[in-house]
Amino acid sequence: MALPASAVRAFEPPPQPERGAPARTTCPRRHSRVEAELAASRPGSVAASVRAGPPRGVSHGFHSRPLLEKPRKASSSLAGAACAPLFALLSRGRRRRMHVLRRRWDLGSLCRALLTRGLAALGHSLKHVLGAIFSKIFGPLASVGNMDEKSNKLLLALVTLFLFAVIVLQYVCPGTECQLLRLQAFSSPVPDPYRSEDESSARFVPRYNFTRSDLLRKVDFDIKGDVLIVFLHIQKTGGTTFRRHLVRNIQLEQPCECRVGQKKCTCHRPGKRETWLFSRFSTGWSCGLHADWTELTSCVPSVVDGKRASRLRPSRNFHYITILRDPVSRYLSEWRHVQRGATWKASLHVCDGRPPTSEELPSCYTGDDWSGCPLKEFMDCPYNLANNRQVRMLSDLTLVGCYNLSVMPEKQRNKVLLESAKSNLKHMAFFGLTEFQRKTQYLFEKTFNMNFISPFTQYNTTRASSVEINEEIQKRIEGLNFLDMELYSYAKDLFLQRYQFMRQKDHQEARRKRQEQRRFLKGRLLQTHFLSQGQGQSQNLNQNQSQNPNPNANQNLTQNLTQNLVQNLTQSSSQKENRESPKQNPGKEQNDSTSNGTNDYIGSVEKWR
């Protein structure tokens, strides 16, 4: 078998050195260097071309032999000479695949080397930058304390750890949601969860003087009894959201049954087929669309009790509730609602047993609706019921002749309506404000002793807030609703005073419970101490009985121990009473019996439980 030419050349003897070349020295490195210099000095030789490099403008490339390979040693050249015949025996396709694999391995090693060197350069640059920063910040300290290299490294490590912790914290808690990222969390106390939703101060200066009975609203609401909650819904005050909370978001023994696609829900009392809530989502508009105070007070009893005679009707308590809103925002919201086609034509406006005539209550538009009306036209209508709507719906219209404006002068009529609305609002079981959703939830829960499942949400962006008006239009709206403006100011003052009063009452109740718990724990500790003393004395008594068989002596010893225990209990109870009330009963003598003091204490403990 004939070998290839490359294999034959591999087995040939090595070439002899040229004539005139120096003999090989004992040092192989020096000999190779001398040979290389001689070869490079000859013009036109291969070594000279390799050393000179490629022509100008041509690079070696990533896989060129001068860039990637180092000068081979003798052992590597011999290994290559031995492997060359074997490589030549392979087929052409396999040799090509092995060559491609070798090129890929060289490219991967080159990428790894570049990445390693890049990271090292980046770390070196970062070290210099941090060193410059620390030299600027801690330069005086280094000059004073003569900080050594170890302290600088330790400080650099600490700062690097801090930066790493900040980056990790940003990933774990992004944005301003995390309280640790806010400076207020380190400087101010824990914020009040019932802080004012409009970001104003929780404390305010009251303008009106209300009595304790006006501020304390505690309704004895028994859902199993005959008490009924009546919701007075004023247009565009957020009443729909609040009524939805009443039927879907309240914890009840028997929750309301709400079917999909239906607005009305069945809210029955436990074990009865009778409703406890009179509102749109439970009974519908039984007294007319958005019935006011005058209509509800005359309609609700007859609707609830049906056709039964008045003497056969149970003595019910009707607890009226409502929601108020800022007059300007409510007015703009109603205008936008009318623009979309709302008319409220189904409202009855029944007063004194009859609806108003067309002369008493004219219409502001001639078509089917008032859709698309501009704000100026909406404000120019003198018969628009949107003007002072909240006062009109909360007052007793029978006091002013219902909708007949000729009964009394306008000024007197406005005064009577405003006073009636304030009185009815103050004596209502509950009212809330749209601008204070969380406080509204809190006061309702405290008033009726009923809890909601999820907290209320404050929506600061509404359709009314999207309307941009100038100062002139705002003043005109306030002038058209001057009665509502005064009523809202009164209601807001009463609402916030009730809120503060109930919060203080809760704090006092919590403080009283903590004090009772401390007394109970102290009493248990004293009781345990006295019992341990009694057990120790009884053990001594048993030992004395075993040693002294005289029964008279044992009886005397038992009496002495009992008297000592009685004196200890009496002294402790008298000292406690003197500390708590030293000046309440100055002429009363302390009780010397143990049973009375112990029974009183146990009775107080059982009462606390």
Side-chain angles (χ1 to χ4, degrees):
M1 177 180 176
L3 294 175
S6 58
V8 173
R9 285 195 300 271
F11 286 102
E12 290 181 356
Q16 297 296 328
E18 297 179 3
R19 185 175 297 179
R24 182 179 295 274
T25 59
T26 57
C27 182
R29 293 184 179 179
R30 184 177 178 183
H31 178 71
S32 61
R33 188 171 65 251
V34 170
E35 288 181 351
E37 290 177 355
L38 289 174
S41 63
R42 296 193 188 99
S45 63
V46 178
S49 62
V50 170
R51 185 170 184 177
R56 188 172 184 179
V58 179
S59 61
H60 289 287
F62 288 108
H63 307 288
S64 59
R65 182 178 298 274
L67 181 63
L68 294 178
E69 295 184 357
K70 297 180 179 180
R72 294 181 179 180
K73 297 183 180 180
S75 59
S76 62
S77 62
L78 292 177
C83 293
L86 299 178
F87 185 77
L89 292 175
L90 297 176
S91 62
R92 182 177 299 177
R94 189 173 295 274
R95 287 201 303 267
R96 187 182 298 110
R97 285 195 296 271
M98 291 185 66
H99 183 64
V100 171
L101 182 63
R102 181 181 177 185
R103 290 184 62 186
R104 289 180 181 176
W105 183 85
D106 291 341
L107 181 61
S109 61
L110 180 62
C111 292
R112 287 193 296 271
L114 291 177
L115 181 62
T116 304
R117 293 194 177 187
L119 292 176
L122 181 62
H124 190 67
S125 302
L126 182 62
K127 179 180 178 181
H128 279 287
V129 171
L130 293 178
I133 294 174
F134 279 105
S135 62
K136 292 290 184 181
I137 298 176
F138 301 100
L141 295 177
S143 61
V144 175
N146 195 11
M147 298 173 64
D148 53 354
E149 185 177 358
K150 291 184 178 180
S151 61
N152 289 332
K153 290 182 179 180
L154 179 60
L155 193 58
L156 180 62
L158 291 176
V159 173
T160 306
L161 181 62
F162 175 74
L163 294 176
F164 179 74
V166 170
I167 294 173
V168 171
L169 187 62
Q170 287 289 341
Y171 276 102
V172 174
C173 187
T176 58
E177 298 176 358
C178 188
Q179 293 292 336
L180 294 176
L181 298 179
R182 299 184 181 179
L183 296 176
Q184 296 179 355
F186 299 95
S187 59
S188 61
V190 179
D192 187 3
Y194 293 99
R195 184 176 173 83
S196 190
E197 286 87 351
D198 56 357
E199 297 300 328
S200 60
S201 178
R203 296 187 177 275
F204 72 103
V205 179
R207 296 176 52 191
Y208 299 90
N209 295 325
F210 296 104
T211 61
R212 179 183 174 84
S213 60
D214 295 335
L215 300 179
L216 180 60
R217 311 304 293 174
K218 195 71 174 178
V219 176
D220 188 12
F221 179 74
D222 185 11
I223 196 172
K224 298 181 180 180
D226 297 327
V227 184
L228 189 69
I229 296 178
V230 182
F231 182 67
L232 195 158
H233 187 183
I234 304 174
Q235 287 93 320
K236 312 313 297 178
T237 58
T240 302
T241 303
F242 184 76
R243 286 189 304 185
R244 192 176 292 113
H245 282 301
L246 291 178
V247 298
R248 299 176 183 270
N249 188 31
I250 199 165
Q251 296 179 0
L252 297 174
E253 181 180 349
Q254 181 178 342
C256 298
E257 297 179 2
C258 301
R259 298 181 180 179
V260 180
Q262 294 183 2
K263 294 183 178 180
K264 289 179 60 175
C265 300
T266 304
C267 299
H268 287 163
R269 303 180 191 273
K272 297 182 181 180
R273 298 187 60 83
E274 183 181 338
T275 184
W276 57 270
L277 177 64
F278 191 93
S279 69
R280 171 194 176 186
F281 288 154
S282 58
T283 59
W285 301 111
S286 302
C287 293
L289 180 62
H290 288 284
D292 54 19
W293 173 272
T294 307
E295 293 177 287
L296 290 176
T297 52
S298 60
C299 172
V300 171
S302 60
V303 170
V304 172
D305 295 326
K307 298 180 180 180
R308 286 185 290 181
S310 58
R311 59 184 179 85
L312 299 178
R313 296 174 183 173
S315 58
R316 298 179 183 272
N317 289 328
F318 299 99
H319 299 301
Y320 289 88
I321 62 175
T322 189
I323 301 292
L324 298 181
R325 188 180 180 183
D326 176 70
V328 177
S329 300
R330 197 214 64 81
Y331 189 85
L332 292 174
S333 180
E334 182 171 347
W335 165 64
R336 293 294 299 271
H337 197 59
V338 169
Q339 268 192 331
R340 295 190 298 270
T343 58
W344 296 299
K345 288 182 178 180
S347 299
L348 302 177
H349 302 295
V350 175
C351 179
D352 203 6
R354 66 176 183 86
T357 62
S358 57
E359 290 79 12
E360 292 176 345
L361 190 60
S363 178
C364 290
Y365 55 91
T366 57
D368 295 334
D369 54 26
W370 208 4
S371 58
C373 70
L375 181 58
K376 185 178 183 303
E377 182 180 349
F378 189 78
M379 293 187 296
D380 290 341
C381 179
Y383 314 108
N384 194 350
L385 293 179
N387 301 337
N388 297 315
R389 181 181 289 276
Q390 298 183 98
V391 170
R392 180 182 57 81
M393 294 188 67
L394 290 175
S395 60
D396 188 0
L397 297 179
T398 59
L399 300 177
V400 294
C402 297
Y403 293 93
N404 189 2
L405 303 180
S406 61
V407 174
M408 61 180 64
E410 183 181 0
K411 187 175 181 180
Q412 183 181 358
R413 177 187 174 89
N414 293 335
K415 183 178 179 180
V416 173
L417 287 176
L418 181 60
E419 293 299 326
S420 176
K422 287 182 178 180
S423 177
N424 293 334
L425 186 69
K426 183 175 66 175
H427 292 93
M428 273 186 174
F430 164 80
F431 74 91
L433 298 180
T434 308
E435 289 76 18
F436 302 94
Q437 291 290 322
R438 293 295 301 276
K439 292 182 175 63
T440 298
Q441 176 185 356
Y442 173 80
L443 288 179
F444 183 87
E445 292 176 347
K446 294 300 179 181
T447 302
F448 291 96
N449 196 19
M450 302 170 71
N451 296 323
F452 291 97
I453 299 174
S454 59
F456 289 8
T457 305
Q458 182 69 41
Y459 297 102
N460 294 324
T461 302
T462 59
R463 291 189 179 94
S465 62
S466 62
V467 179
E468 296 182 358
I469 57 175
N470 52 30
E471 187 177 358
E472 181 182 358
I473 295 178
Q474 183 172 356
K475 288 184 178 179
R476 187 179 178 188
I477 294 175
E478 292 176 357
L480 292 173
N481 297 272
F482 68 99
L483 296 179
D484 279 4
M485 294 294 295
E486 189 170 351
L487 176 66
Y488 184 79
S489 177
Y490 175 87
K492 184 177 179 180
D493 192 277
L494 177 59
F495 178 84
L496 294 178
Q497 286 196 45
R498 282 181 178 176
Y499 169 76
Q500 284 193 354
F501 180 80
M502 296 301 295
R503 292 282 287 178
Q504 292 176 1
K505 193 171 180 295
D506 286 348
H507 292 331
Q508 293 174 1
E509 186 70 17
R511 191 183 303 112
R512 185 184 63 81
K513 287 183 179 181
R514 289 195 300 267
Q515 292 176 356
E516 289 182 355
Q517 189 174 9
R518 288 196 209 99
R519 296 194 192 100
F520 174 73
L521 294 177
K522 287 181 181 179
R524 289 292 297 271
L525 183 61
L526 291 174
Q527 186 179 5
T528 305
H529 177 67
F530 292 150
L531 288 176
S532 62
Q533 284 186 351
Q535 290 177 0
Q537 292 177 359
S538 63
Q539 291 177 1
N540 295 332
L541 178 61
N542 294 331
Q543 293 177 1
N544 293 331
Q545 285 180 356
S546 61
Q547 295 177 2
N548 188 9
N550 188 3
N552 295 327
N554 292 335
Q555 185 177 4
N556 294 332
L557 182 59
T558 303
Q559 292 178 357
N560 293 332
L561 292 175
T562 305
Q563 290 178 0
N564 292 332
L565 183 59
V566 167
Q567 289 178 1
N568 291 333
L569 290 172
T570 306
Q571 289 177 1
S572 62
S573 61
S574 62
Q575 291 176 0
K576 184 178 179 181
E577 291 179 358
N578 291 332
R579 286 197 306 267
E580 293 181 354
S581 57
K583 295 183 181 180
Q584 291 182 359
N585 300 320
K588 186 178 288 188
E589 296 181 355
Q590 299 293 334
N591 190 1
D592 295 333
S593 63
T594 309
S595 60
N596 292 334
T598 307
N599 291 333
D600 293 339
Y601 173 72
I602 294 175
S604 63
V605 170
E606 294 296 331
K607 182 179 179 182
W608 179 82
R609 287 179 177 175

